[in-house]
Amino acid sequence: MKTYKKLLTAALALGMTFSLAACSSSAPEGGDDESSSEPVPIIGISQYGEHGSLDNCREGFLKGLEEAGLVEGTDYVIDYKNASFDDNLAIQIAQAFSAEDADLMVGIATPSATACYAAAEDKDIPVIFTAITDPVGAKLDSGNITGTSDVLPVEGQLQLIRALQPEAKTIGIVYTTSEANSVYSVGVYEELAGQYGFTIDAIGVTAQSEVTQAVDTLISHKVDCLSNLTDNNVVGVLGSILEKTNDAGIPVYGSEIEQVKLGCAAGAGLEYVQLGIQTGKMAARVLKDEATCEEIPYEIIENYSLYVNSDVLKQLNIQLPEDIAGEAEDMAAAEE
């Protein structure tokens, strides 16, 4: 694991003074109050990018702190920064948190979490992660770090697709080859798909600019549907994906509630606000000195919900079975 030297970290932090101002939505207040005998702990939150599920994780994290009895401004202050899906910026943000001696770093999504863990190592700053599918594969399962995993309910998704498309044979997936979450999830899809009569046509990309081209390729392969992962590059251009698939009459299945709200046909997924709440409560234990990160095992969220968008299903001439309709939450109705 790479260790950053203090001199280099300090220099990078000076260089970040202006560049990070544009991506920060809040800054520490009260932590440097010279009149206070006990400075307020700083929580540095690094969010890899802005989209619904990651926003919900952050919202839930703050709720979790509140539910644990902590008060912002008294028990902690937040230094929030957004990396805009830029790996280099995620690294710089984490190094800036280390330079300001943050008391806790929070990484939302794998690139931000791994960057925080690397930057925190030299000072042994505790790190909490969330929205990470495979902590073991990302090498975030040991040391001064813990958090929550959003392992996708792949089997639930396959069951849902089969119920909505009884004749479907091929599921297309676009994923980022450098995202450990996505590589892991594609492997699970390929392992389980045959049990439900599907084959997987997966195309790996290396950058967000390649995603829509990969979707064009899957459409040309005549896949019966697409299934989204919680892949940051893919979700970041979901609107463009849906324009193409809607024109082709191909349904897209989302992996969480926000994707279905945005126009995916349906999805089996986690509730990311709740995921964040659970993460916030874990962080509160660390801030209260009730436990260290090493003493708190990371947690996997296993419960999931079904979501449908009845407007999209109607446009695609997909019949919603009564049993699914009775169990699922309709995002079309929720948006009215």
Side-chain angles (χ1 to χ4, degrees), residues 103-114:
D103 297 273
L104 177 71
M105 295 190 198
V106 178
I108 303 178
T110 302
S112 285
T114 54

Side-chain angles (χ1 to χ4, degrees), residues 72-281:
E72 186 172 2
T74 300
D75 299 308
Y76 65 90
V77 290
I78 297 294
D79 187 0
Y80 164 67
K81 292 182 170 64
N82 191 307
S84 300
F85 302 108
D86 185 320
D87 289 358
N88 290 327
L89 187 53
I91 292 170
Q92 293 171 8
I93 288 170
Q95 291 171 346
F97 288 161
S98 178
E100 74 177 354
D101 292 323
D103 297 273
L104 177 71
M105 295 190 198
V106 178
I108 303 178
T110 302
S112 285
T114 54
C116 285
Y117 191 34
E121 182 185 21
D122 190 44
K123 296 182 178 179
D124 200 31
I125 298 171
V127 177
I128 303 285
F129 62 76
T130 190
I132 293 183
T133 299
D134 184 16
V136 176
K139 300 180 180 178
L140 299 174
D141 58 326
S142 63
N144 199 5
I145 187 168
T146 191
T148 54
S149 169
D150 62 343
V151 173
L152 296 180
V154 173
E155 191 158 18
Q157 185 86 318
L158 292 170
Q159 292 171 349
L160 177 63
I161 296 172
R162 178 52 71 208
L164 293 176
Q165 292 184 264
E167 304 301 321
K169 297 180 180 179
T170 305
I171 300 172
I173 299 177
V174 180
Y175 71 100
T176 304
T177 56
S178 60
E179 282 202 27
N181 289 359
S182 300
V183 174
Y184 174 85
S185 296
V186 169
V188 177
Y189 266 97
E190 291 175 337
E191 178 183 349
L192 298 178
Q195 298 177 24
Y196 295 91
F198 294 115
T199 58
I200 301 298
D201 188 351
I203 297 180
V205 299
T206 61
Q208 192 171 79
S209 59
E210 301 172 8
V211 172
T212 54
Q213 182 178 352
V215 171
D216 286 335
T217 300
L218 289 174
I219 292 173
S220 72
H221 289 177
K222 300 188 182 302
V223 297
D224 295 289
C225 63
L226 269 65
S227 188
N228 268 357
L229 312 177
T230 50
D231 187 293
N232 294 293
N233 281 324
V234 176
V235 176
V237 291
L238 180 56
S240 298
I241 293 171
L242 291 172
E243 286 182 12
K244 291 177 176 293
T245 55
N246 287 341
D247 288 344
I250 297 174
V252 178
Y253 293 90
S255 55
E256 45 85 27
I257 185 172
E258 298 299 332
Q259 294 179 25
V260 182
K261 284 182 180 179
L262 290 173
C264 288
L270 305 179
E271 213 295 313
Y272 276 80
V273 172
Q274 190 58 47
L275 184 75
I277 289 173
Q278 188 163 341
T279 313
K281 290 180 177 179

Side-chain angles (χ1 to χ4, degrees), residues 300-319:
I300 298 175
I301 311 302
E302 296 182 347
N303 294 331
Y304 67 91
S305 299
L306 297 181
Y307 306 102
V308 299
N309 191 316
S310 58
D311 288 344
V312 175
L313 292 174
K314 184 177 180 180
Q315 291 168 8
L316 295 170
N317 295 315
I318 295 176
Q319 183 68 37

